[in-house]
Amino acid sequence: MSDVTRIPTSLTQGSQTAGGIGESKLRPDGTLKVTGEFAYSSDLWHEDMVWGHTLRSPYAHAEIVAVDTSAALAQAGVYAVLTYDDLPAAQKNYGLEIADTPALAAGRVRHHGEPVALVAADHPETARRAAAKIRIEWRELPLVTDEESALAPGAPVLHPDRADGHARHVPHPNIVHRQPVVRGDAAAAARRADHIVTGEYEFGMQDQAFLGPESGLAVPAEDGGVDLYVATQWLHADRRQIAPVLGLPEEKVRMTLSGVGGAFGGREDLSMQIHACLLALRTGKPVKMVYDRFESFFGHVHRHPARIRYEHGVTAEGRITHARCRIVLDGGAYASSTPAVVGNAASLSMGPYVVEDVEIEAVGLYTNNPPCGAMRGFGAVQACFAYEAQMDRLAAAVGMDPVAFRQLNAMSQGSRLPTGQQVDSPAPVAEILRRVQARPLPPERQWESAGGAADVRALPGGLSNTTHGEGVVRGVGYAVGIKNVGFSEGFDDFSTARVRLEAVGGEPVVTVHTAAAEVGQGGITVQAQIARTELGVARVVIAPADTRVGSAGSTSASRQTYMTGGAVRNACAAVREQVLALGRRKLGTYHPAWATAELLLEGGKVVTDGGEVLAALADVLDGEPAVDVELPFRHRPTEPFDIETGQGFGHVQYSFAAHRAVVEVDTELGLVKVVELACAQDVGKALNPLSVVGQIQGGTTQGLGVAVMEEIVVDPATGRVRNPSFTDYLIPTILDTPAIPVDVLELADPHAPYGLRGVGEASTLSATPAVLAAIRQATGLALTKAPVRPEHLTGT
Amino acid sequence: MRVTFTVNGREQQADDVWEGESLLYVLRERMGLPGSKNACEQGECGSCTVRLDGVPVCACLVAAGQAEGREVVTVEGLAGDGLSAVQQAFVDAGAVQCGFCTPGLLVAADDLLERCPWPMSPSDADIREGLSGNLCRCTGYEKILDAVRLAAARRGEGA
C-alpha cells in the first residue's frame, strides 16, 4: 500500500557548493516547518484509516483478576479490542536492554498508566468511549516506592523471572543494576584531609516534555507484514523489539521515520509502535494513534529521580583528597536503559575533577513508580547536580573562591577518571570556567527602567506583580560538568550511511540515505554539509530515514553527528575513490595529471591538488550508472566496566560545559527569576555553529527547568502521577528563560571525525547546579533538592 | 452537524462534525490543514494558535461550532507568494529546531508585530510577554527572540 498521504519526503538543498562543514547552513526542512507543511507523525493520514486508543492502569501495582471487553466490542464504530490474550506470538515483552516490559499487561500492572488494552475505532472519541466500557476487576498489591521499600525484607519482588544473569551480581532482585567504582585507597587518603564535607541530595523526576506527541500510522501490507510511519530515535532498535512481539520476521516490519517533534531521550523506548501494528494487523486497516498530553506523560520513560550521598575530603590548600559516594536511581517498574544510566552515573560521579582515591556505588532500582530511562544527560545530570553542590561546600570549607577551587582540581588532558581511563583529548575544564567568569555581569537592578520604576516583567513573579523590587536579592553561581559521548561499556556502536552520486540533468547530485532520526537537532543539515564538503557537489538530497538502509544507531548520547556524520564521510570517501577511478578510465588519456596528481572534487569539478581543472564531475558521470556506496562507521572500541571495581576504558569521548547563573530571588514569596545563564562549551569542531549554539541554549533551558520548576510528582501512598499535564508539569516559557550567551570553544579531539565533540547534552548537566548555586548564594540556604520550590526558600 | 467557516480566505465546510470536536480537530483531520499542532490540546502550549476573526486563540479550546461563519487564519495562511517576513526570519535566525511549536509561535509573532506597526519595534520584554503562551522545548527561546527582532527590523526594508 502506498497511498499514504503526508509522509516524509526527500529534502533537497543547494545551488552552490558553499555550505560545507563549519558554516551555519540553514536547515533543509526549515521552509516546510514554517509553512505548516512538514509531516509530523501526528499529521499522517491514510484513506480508510481508523484510530487506536490505549486503556491504561489506574493503579500502580495490582493484579488483573478479570477482564470483560464485550461492552466495548459491542459499541458501534469499534473494529477491535485487544488484551494480553490477543498477543499473537510467544514473545510478549520488549525492552531496550532487558526485555521485561509487557506489550500489554500480563495479569498484573507494575505502574500507574501501564497499557492494559487497545481499541480501534472510526473516531478517536469512539475509541476513548469504548475503552471506558472495558470492565476490569483489580486486586491491589503492596507498593514498592523507594529504596527502603524495594529492599526491605519480604518486599514484593517486581521481576521474579528476570533471566539476564545479572541478578547474581546484585544484593537484591529489586536492584536492576549496580556499579561500584573503586580506585586507590579512600580510607588512607581521607587521613590526609583537613576537612571532610558530606552532603545528601535529591533530584526530582524530570520529563522530556517534547512537544510532538507520541504518534504514528501502521499500515497492514499484503505480504502479512506492516509498514510503520513513526516518530522515534532509533528505527532499527524499534524494529528489533517490535517484530518478535508481532510474530513477524524483521524484514516484514518496514519502518519510516515520520516528522519528530523533539525527543530528548523520551522516544528511545517504544510507546505506541507495537500497539498500532497489532491493531492494524488485527483489523486489516491502517491505524493511526496519537497520544494526548495526559497520555504522553505515561507513554514514555522519564529521567531517573535520584538520592545521592557524597563525602569529599580536602586539604587546607584546597586539593581534593578522596571521595565516597552512593547514587540511588529509581528506575521505576521496568528496566529500560537503567543499567547504562547507572554505569554513567557511577563512572562520571567525580565530575571533571582529579580524585585519585574513590569508593563509588551507583544502583538502579525496580519500583512501582513510572519507568525511567533515557533523557538528555543520561545519569551524568543527577551526579553533576550533587558533586557541584559539594564543590561549593568544599571551597567554602577552605575559604576559596568557588571557581578557583574548581580550577585547582580540574582535570585536563592526561588526567584519569575514577575508572582508570585516561582522558586522551583536550579537557578545557579550567578554561571554560574562566570564560563564563570573565563575562561581564548583567546590570544590578536590571528590572529597574530609566525612570526608576520597576518593570515587573523582569522581576521574580513577573506579571503576577508580586514585588516591585523590595525583598529581592541577587546571587551568582557556577558549575561545570562532564558527559560521555556515544554508547559506552563495550557496546558495538555503529552507524551506516548510503551515498549515491549521479548526473541528473547534466548536474552532479548526491543522495544521502541513512536511518538516522532527525529529531530537530539538525542532523540532516550536517549530513548534507559533510557530503558537500567531501564531494564538492552543490545539490544534496537527504532521503527519508527508513529501515531499507542499515542501522544508524540512536539519536541520543550526543552521538549522531559523530557517528552518522562519520558514516557519511566514510561513504563519501569511497564514492570519491570510485568516481576518480571512473574518471581515470574514461578521461585519463586526455591529461597526464589523471594518473600522476593528487585529485580532489571541488565545485562540481575534478581538480588537481595544484588547482588545475581536469573535468566537470557531470562529464565523468554522464551515461554511467550512479556511484552508490553503503558503509558503516564505528568509533574506537570501549570495554565494559569491571563489575566489582568499575575499572575499564568505558567511554569513547567526553564533552565539557560550564555555566554561570545569575538569579534574583524574592525572599518573601520564594520566587526566583533567572536573570542570565551564560554557558561555555568545547565542541571540538563546530560543523554548524548556528545549530551548535541552538543545542547549547536548548540544553541549558532544560537544565534551568529542573532547577526551578520541572518535576513529575508521584503520590507515595498510591504510586499515582499527580501532574500529567502542561497545567501542572511546568516547563520554562520565554518569560522564565533568561538571556543565554554562549561561548563555543573548538579544541579538536584527535580521535573523532573532523575533531568534533558531541554537543547535545553537556549543557543540560551544569545549568541545573549553576542555578542552584546562585540561589544558595542569594539566600544563604543549603538547598539540597532540585527543583527548588518556593517553600524551600521561605521555610514554610 | 455541518460547520462552515472561512479558512485562510477560502470558505470551507465540514460534515458529520461531532458536537464535541474542537476547531483544531476539524482543521487537522477534516479540512486537511495539519499545520496547527496538537501538543497539549489543553490550551497550555500555544502550538495550535490560530487567529479567529483576527484574535489569536488556541484552536484546541474552540469548539468547531463556535467558528461557524467566522474567519480563521492558520499558519498555512501566513505565506503569500513567498514566505512572510516572520516565517523567513524564523528560518534565517535558526529559530526552528524540531519545529513543532513553530506554527503557533509564528501566528502569535505575526499578531505581535501587527500590534506594533513599523517603525516601532517591540522591546525584548514585549516579545517575551507576547509569546509567553507558546511553549518551545528545543531552542531555549534565544533564537526565537532573534527571529522576531529580525522580522521587526526587516519590515522597514523596502517600506
Side-chain angles (χ1 to χ4, degrees), chain A residues 451-474:
Chain A
D455 181 345
V456 293
R457 295 177 294 190
L459 277 161
L463 290 166
S464 306
N465 202 22
T466 49
T467 178
H468 285 230
E470 62 281 3
V472 171
V473 292
R474 173 176 279 204

Side-chain angles (χ1 to χ4, degrees), chain A residues 61-195:
Chain A
H61 198 196
E63 190 186 325
I64 299 171
V65 180
V67 181
D68 178 3
T69 59
S70 56
L73 263 171
Q75 179 161 318
V78 169
Y79 288 85
V81 180
L82 306 182
T83 64
Y84 176 82
D85 293 335
D86 298 299
L87 293 174
Q91 172 75 36
K92 301 188 192 295
N93 290 354
Y94 66 89
L96 275 175
E97 292 193 68
I98 301 165
D100 64 359
T101 310
L104 289 169
R108 95 159 148 161
V109 292
R110 295 178 180 83
H111 70 92
H112 179 205
E114 182 164 341
V116 178
L118 304 170
V119 178
D122 57 4
H123 190 287
E125 185 60 22
T126 314
R128 274 192 286 271
R129 290 180 179 191
K133 290 183 177 173
I134 298 173
R135 277 188 275 279
I136 301 178
E137 192 183 325
W138 301 94
R139 190 172 68 84
E140 282 192 77
L141 298 170
L143 285 178
V144 169
T145 57
D146 55 17
E147 185 182 12
E148 203 171 44
S149 58
L151 307 186
V157 175
L158 294 181
H159 292 274
D161 48 359
R162 184 176 159 181
D164 69 339
H166 195 79
R168 67 179 181 274
H169 298 295
V170 295
H172 191 285
N174 283 338
I175 292 178
V176 185
H177 188 66
R178 173 178 178 269
Q179 181 63 64
V181 182
V182 183
R183 187 172 170 80
D185 185 343
R191 289 193 284 275
R192 295 196 300 274
D194 294 305
H195 305 273

Side-chain angles (χ1 to χ4, degrees), chain B residues 87-115:
Chain B
Q87 286 173 314
Q88 189 63 52
F90 266 63
V91 173
D92 293 345
V96 180
Q97 289 188 17
C98 94
F100 208 81
C101 65
T102 305
L105 274 163
L106 287 168
V107 175
D110 188 60
D111 173 70
L112 173 72
L113 292 178
E114 195 180 288
R115 284 187 282 115

Side-chain angles (χ1 to χ4, degrees), chain A residues 441-450 453-460 469 472-474 662-665 672-676 735 738-739, chain B residues 125 128:
Chain A
L441 281 163
E444 294 280 346
R445 300 172 74 84
Q446 44 82 33
W447 37 268
E448 208 165 56
S449 50
D455 181 345
V456 293
R457 295 177 294 190
L459 277 161
V472 171
V473 292
R474 173 176 279 204
V662 179
V663 306
E664 286 175 354
V665 182
V672 175
K673 169 80 182 175
V674 181
V675 174
E676 189 194 76
L735 280 171
Chain B
R128 289 183 189 279

